[in-house]
Amino acid sequence: MTLERAAVHDLLAEYGALLDGAKYDEWLGLFAAECCYSVIPRENFERGLPVGLMFCDSRAMLEDRIMALREANKYNIHTDRHLIGLPRLRSPEAEQLMVEASFAVFQTDQEGSTRLFATGLYRDRLVSTEGGLKIRDKLVLLDTFAVPTLLATPL
Amino acid sequence: MTLERAAVHDLLAEYGALLDGAKYDEWLGLFAAECCYSVIPRENFERGLPVGLMFCDSRAMLEDRIMALREANKYNIHTDRHLIGLPRLRSPEAEQLMVEASFAVFQTDQEGSTRLFATGLYRDRLVSTEGGLKIRDKLVLLDTFAVPTLLATPL
Amino acid sequence: MTLERAAVHDLLAEYGALLDGAKYDEWLGLFAAECCYSVIPRENFERGLPVGLMFCDSRAMLEDRIMALREANKYNIHTDRHLIGLPRLRSPEAEQLMVEASFAVFQTDQEGSTRLFATGLYRDRLVSTEGGLKIRDKLVLLDTFAVPTLLATPL
């Protein structure tokens, strides 16, 4: 259990650090071979409307999407900073672990202005693999349906 | 000690998650039967002025207050997002534990704007009960005496 | 390993709490006798330009700098609030430990306005001493080269 908690902390810290360092290939490596990644406004999710800003139900799709974002990013150059709160470990089952954590993402533009970009909740299903703990499903519940600018990097 | 630390992390993570999910009854369940909850601007506290924005010295009073807030909330519809920093465990005594943690609360309004609402410090006295670790006293030291809008949900 | 992680959490939590409480002498005590503290915009660091906002390569220099800041602070009275994310423990060697953690600092001025001041990444080299875990080197990588106001307190 304690080992598990340490591994969850490591995975979340790594997740934020790799995105903030723009190391997207390594970031993809945090996901299991079969995985699902989606970004949905909290309001839609609570009403049962699965309309989201991003939905990838395979790792190939996630890789494609990252490539597209990198292209788009040329027109929205910025750096990200993730702050991830204490995780809540829920209903652990054999070889599965549900984890929730609040997050805030701040963006800094080329003029050097740092602004709050988005807040929300990660709801992750983690699986134990030979390569360690990996993300099987990641649901990013955004607090707003109106992200201020283009979603140019994964959250 | 390690078990204790894990329990403190769980309690803080649960605290933020239940408020952000508007699950106020479950949130009340995090407090001990005898408890005290107060919200005081840091400046007042440091000057020894106990004038606060909220003061409840029993769980019945806290329950009453939550009911009133729910009513008030109808005119200030928003969602909260708590980010709680790494806790500092202090002077643990037998069956008592002092915990401090920085927090930031972001609010999202009905137009979808997410803004920083407040920052401050939690100073908690936790007790070990049959139902697990509970909050005996919670002092919310707000960094500002001027919260931008009505304190419509607990911090 | 678990003890080590707990000690890292404690050190980071203490670091933020002492700065936010303006307890600068105790804060200095978190550094090893030989230490280095620097604040560098991330962009400069990545380009190999070591031009920073603050650079102290001895504890005496850090002490001097703190004295000067206290003087400067009389003209920029505010309080700080640090939020430090989950740390990433890297390549632990014998008696050395590399730790990275995202942070956000919020400042509250005398009118009671709380604003985001800066975000960035701590990159710390910690050493085990007789007095416990201490900071040997602290590199504060700021997300922006343009801090909105004078750097009036350490980050």
Side-chain angles (χ1 to χ4, degrees):
Chain A
M1 173 59 192
T2 302
L3 272 179
E4 202 166 66
R5 185 180 295 263
V8 169
H9 280 205
D10 285 343
L11 183 58
L12 284 172
E14 198 80 2
Y15 183 95
L18 292 175
L19 285 181
D20 294 343
K23 294 175 180 170
Y24 301 116
D25 290 328
E26 291 178 56
W27 175 78
L28 282 165
L30 301 180
F31 288 83
E34 274 185 63
C35 63
C36 185
Y37 171 88
S38 50
V39 181
I40 301 179
R42 168 185 179 156
E43 202 181 349
N44 290 12
F45 183 79
E46 284 166 4
R47 290 181 183 179
L49 304 167
V51 181
L53 285 83
M54 204 163 155
F55 178 78
C56 302
D57 65 356
S58 75
R59 192 149 137 186
M61 198 174 165
L62 191 51
E63 280 169 27
D64 270 7
R65 189 64 202 259
I66 294 297
M67 292 280 279
L69 286 179
R70 284 184 177 184
E71 204 53 39
N73 252 355
K74 290 179 186 166
Y75 307 99
N76 174 18
I77 297 173
H78 71 274
T79 55
D80 288 319
R81 179 63 55 202
H82 283 69
L83 264 185
I84 301 176
L86 292 175
R88 192 184 184 201
L89 282 66
R90 305 188 71 183
S91 51
E93 294 168 28
E95 284 173 43
Q96 278 202 10
L97 189 55
M98 298 299 297
V99 172
E100 287 185 2
S102 287
F103 70 88
V105 177
F106 301 91
Q107 290 193 341
T108 302
D109 63 22
Q110 286 196 290
E111 276 72 45
S113 293
T114 302
R115 288 190 196 84
L116 176 67
F117 177 68
T119 61
L121 183 73
Y122 290 141
R123 193 172 285 177
D124 297 353
R125 190 152 62 98
L126 307 180
V127 285
S128 203
T129 73
E130 284 184 16
L133 207 59
K134 299 279 179 189
I135 303 166
R136 175 64 184 78
D137 298 317
K138 186 161 195 109
L139 175 61
V140 181
L141 288 172
L142 271 186
D143 284 331
T144 182
F145 50 86
V147 281
T149 55
L150 200 67
L151 190 62
T153 36
L155 284 168
Chain B
M1 172 59 191
T2 301
L3 272 178
E4 203 167 66
R5 185 180 295 263
V8 169
H9 280 205
D10 286 342
L11 183 58
L12 283 171
E14 198 80 3
Y15 184 95
L18 291 176
L19 285 181
D20 294 345
K23 293 176 181 168
Y24 300 116
D25 290 327
E26 290 178 56
W27 175 78
L28 282 166
L30 301 179
F31 288 84
E34 274 185 64
C35 64
C36 186
Y37 172 88
S38 50
V39 181
I40 301 179
R42 169 185 179 155
E43 203 182 348
N44 289 12
F45 183 79
E46 284 168 2
R47 291 181 182 180
L49 303 169
V51 182
L53 285 82
M54 206 162 153
F55 178 77
C56 301
D57 64 357
S58 75
R59 193 148 137 189
M61 199 173 164
L62 190 51
E63 281 170 27
D64 270 7
R65 190 63 201 259
I66 294 298
M67 292 280 279
L69 287 179
R70 282 185 177 182
E71 203 53 37
N73 252 355
K74 290 179 186 164
Y75 307 99
N76 175 18
I77 297 173
H78 71 275
T79 56
D80 289 318
R81 179 62 56 202
H82 284 68
L83 264 185
I84 300 176
L86 292 175
R88 192 184 183 201
L89 282 66
R90 304 188 72 184
S91 52
E93 294 167 27
E95 284 173 43
Q96 279 201 9
L97 190 55
M98 297 299 298
V99 172
E100 287 186 2
S102 287
F103 69 88
V105 177
F106 302 91
Q107 290 193 342
T108 303
D109 63 21
Q110 287 196 290
E111 277 72 46
S113 294
T114 303
R115 290 190 194 86
L116 176 67
F117 177 67
T119 62
L121 183 72
Y122 290 142
R123 192 171 287 175
D124 297 353
R125 189 152 62 97
L126 307 180
V127 285
S128 202
T129 73
E130 284 183 16
L133 207 58
K134 299 282 178 186
I135 303 166
R136 175 64 184 78
D137 299 318
K138 186 160 196 110
L139 175 61
V140 181
L141 288 172
L142 270 186
D143 284 333
T144 182
F145 52 85
V147 280
T149 54
L150 199 68
L151 189 63
T153 35
L155 285 167
Chain C
M1 174 58 191
T2 301
L3 271 179
E4 202 167 66
R5 185 180 295 264
V8 169
H9 280 205
D10 285 342
L11 183 58
L12 284 171
E14 198 80 2
Y15 183 95
L18 291 175
L19 285 181
D20 294 344
K23 292 176 182 169
Y24 300 116
D25 290 327
E26 292 178 54
W27 175 77
L28 282 166
L30 300 180
F31 288 84
E34 275 186 62
C35 63
C36 185
Y37 172 89
S38 50
V39 181
I40 301 179
R42 168 185 180 157
E43 203 182 348
N44 290 13
F45 183 80
E46 284 167 2
R47 291 180 183 180
L49 304 168
V51 182
L53 287 81
M54 206 162 151
F55 179 76
C56 302
D57 65 356
S58 75
R59 193 149 136 187
M61 199 174 163
L62 190 52
E63 281 170 27
D64 270 7
R65 190 62 201 259
I66 294 297
M67 291 281 277
L69 287 179
R70 282 185 177 183
E71 204 53 39
N73 252 355
K74 290 180 186 165
Y75 307 99
N76 174 17
I77 297 174
H78 70 274
T79 55
D80 289 319
R81 180 62 56 202
H82 284 69
L83 264 185
I84 301 176
L86 291 175
R88 192 183 183 202
L89 283 65
R90 304 188 72 182
S91 51
E93 295 168 26
E95 284 172 43
Q96 278 201 9
L97 189 55
M98 298 299 298
V99 172
E100 287 186 3
S102 287
F103 70 88
V105 177
F106 301 90
Q107 289 192 342
T108 303
D109 64 21
Q110 287 196 290
E111 277 72 45
S113 293
T114 302
R115 288 189 196 86
L116 177 66
F117 177 68
T119 62
L121 183 73
Y122 290 142
R123 194 172 284 178
D124 297 352
R125 189 152 62 98
L126 306 180
V127 285
S128 203
T129 73
E130 285 184 15
L133 207 59
K134 299 280 178 188
I135 303 166
R136 175 64 184 79
D137 299 318
K138 186 161 196 109
L139 175 61
V140 181
L141 289 171
L142 270 186
D143 284 332
T144 182
F145 52 84
V147 280
T149 54
L150 198 68
L151 190 62
T153 35
L155 284 167

